[in-house]
Amino acid sequence: MKQDIRNIAIIAHVDHGKTTLVDALLKQSDTFKEKDLQGETIMDSNELERERGITIFSKNAAVIYRDVKINIVDTPGHADFGGEVERIMNLVDGVLLLVDAKEGPMPQTKFVLKKAIAAGHRAIVVINKIDKKDARSDYVLNKTFDLFVELGASDRQTDFPVIYASAKQGKAGFENNLETMTNVQAIFETVVKEIPAPKSDTEGPLQVSVANVSYDNYKGRIAIGRIVRGIFRPGQVAWINREGKVTPAKITNIMTFDGLSRTETSEAFAGDIVAFAGINEINI
């Protein structure tokens, strides 16, 4: 059956707590209620990222919250990866903007947020690290609003929901009071309420847009993309390359995201983000 889905990207400057927040979302989701996750920075799987503490490559994860599947796409904050950021914005329908409660929005925040606003996406602002002794949440909120206006956001985009959080403690809430927070449920609730479900037509002919590629030792080249229309099943498809050439191809595996893992499936529906194998020459 087709799931209720939300597709979101996470935007943050380096050290504002993006990876820590994603850890908290994963650990407190229904997906991991029965699992014991160990360690920190579970989204930074690339060795260079772990060493430097930065996110270079976008990653995909998915969690279940009250029967809603939330696909989470990590975004690189550096301007060097502008092309990747634009592709990610085509995968999602909204963004979580994470801002440090002391530092406020920074250059990397501005760059990626500009792409999200241009794509017409709704943003949820999460003011993180409110447990810092020198936190100044009101100032940061005002500076964030100014940034939205500066970047040409619409009235609807500037009317963004605000959540206060301490990702390190795994807590979030609608009021700037750490004492009243117990978990990050406020973030889940806001994502489900404020981020629109993907507009999807499961009845039409299949159309899948590829946004990223990776490699698997057993399956070969893996394409990651969004199902724009139809139902995606293994088997024969028409592959259209960059030059517009149409070639028959056979999809051997389709995988949806489950936590930090990929799970093989016999079919996936329009609106979902999937990984698939079978076309060795596929590209972005």
Side-chain angles (χ1 to χ4, degrees), residues 8-9 11 89 92-97 113 116 121-124 195:
I8 62 165
I11 302 171
M89 292 309 151
V92 301
D93 302 290
V95 298
L96 276 181
L97 174 63
L113 180 61
H121 291 328
R122 182 135 170 86
I124 297 168
I195 303 301

Side-chain angles (χ1 to χ4, degrees), residues 206 219 221 232-240 247-254 276-282:
L206 178 68
K219 296 182 176 71
R221 201 169 179 85
F232 197 15
R233 299 183 178 97
Q236 290 296 126
V237 296
W239 166 45
I240 307 173
T247 309
K250 186 176 182 181
I251 303 300
T252 55
N253 307 87
I254 297 173
F276 60 94
I279 308 175
N280 290 328
E281 297 83 21
I282 200 162

Side-chain angles (χ1 to χ4, degrees), residues 200-220:
S200 54
D201 173 17
T202 56
E203 303 301 320
L206 178 68
Q207 190 176 52
V208 182
S209 175
V210 176
N212 248 327
V213 290
S214 63
Y215 189 81
D216 182 278
N217 288 335
Y218 300 99
K219 296 182 176 71

Side-chain angles (χ1 to χ4, degrees), residues 47-74:
E47 279 185 27
L48 182 64
E49 293 177 1
R50 283 184 176 273
E51 182 183 327
R52 295 185 181 176
I54 60 172
T55 303
I56 296 175
F57 304 110
S58 71
K59 249 74 86 252
N60 296 75
V63 296
I64 303 296
Y65 175 73
R66 295 185 178 173
D67 297 326
V68 178
K69 180 182 183 182
I70 302 173
N71 284 311
I72 303 170
V73 185
D74 200 5

Side-chain angles (χ1 to χ4, degrees), residues 25-149:
L25 292 172
L26 286 165
K27 291 172 182 175
Q28 294 185 35
S29 69
D30 295 339
T31 310
F32 284 106
K33 288 279 173 67
E34 306 301 321
K35 298 180 183 179
D36 181 23
L37 287 179
Q38 301 293 331
E40 297 178 359
T41 61
I42 51 182
M43 281 289 273
D44 284 345
S45 57
N46 178 271
E47 279 185 27
L48 182 64
E49 293 177 1
R50 283 184 176 273
E51 182 183 327
R52 295 185 181 176
I54 60 172
T55 303
I56 296 175
F57 304 110
S58 71
K59 249 74 86 252
N60 296 75
V63 296
I64 303 296
Y65 175 73
R66 295 185 178 173
D67 297 326
V68 178
K69 180 182 183 182
I70 302 173
N71 284 311
I72 303 170
V73 185
D74 200 5
T75 62
H78 298 269
D80 298 349
F81 302 95
E84 185 167 4
V85 172
E86 288 188 5
R87 295 196 302 273
I88 289 166
M89 292 309 151
N90 291 329
L91 285 178
V92 301
D93 302 290
V95 298
L96 276 181
L97 174 63
L98 191 64
V99 184
D100 185 290
K102 176 192 175 187
E103 296 180 356
M106 301 288 276
Q108 285 172 251
T109 318
K110 181 177 180 178
F111 170 74
V112 187
L113 180 61
K114 184 177 181 179
K115 300 287 187 185
I117 288 173
H121 291 328
R122 182 135 170 86
I124 297 168
V125 172
V126 180
I127 299 178
N128 190 33
K129 301 189 181 183
I130 63 167
D131 49 323
K132 278 186 172 181
K133 64 179 180 180
D134 48 1
R136 44 180 185 169
S137 300
D138 290 343
Y139 167 83
V140 166
L141 179 56
N142 288 333
K143 295 298 286 185
T144 303
F145 178 81
D146 291 346
L147 178 60
F148 272 75
V149 174

Side-chain angles (χ1 to χ4, degrees), residues 143-178:
K143 295 298 286 185
T144 303
F145 178 81
D146 291 346
L147 178 60
F148 272 75
V149 174
E150 179 189 334
L151 295 176
S154 67
D155 289 346
R156 183 174 181 276
Q157 287 173 319
T158 53
D159 185 23
F160 49 78
V162 181
I163 298 170
Y164 301 91
S166 168
K168 189 175 181 180
Q169 296 183 28
K171 295 180 179 180
F174 299 108
E175 296 179 2
N176 186 18
N177 184 356
L178 197 59

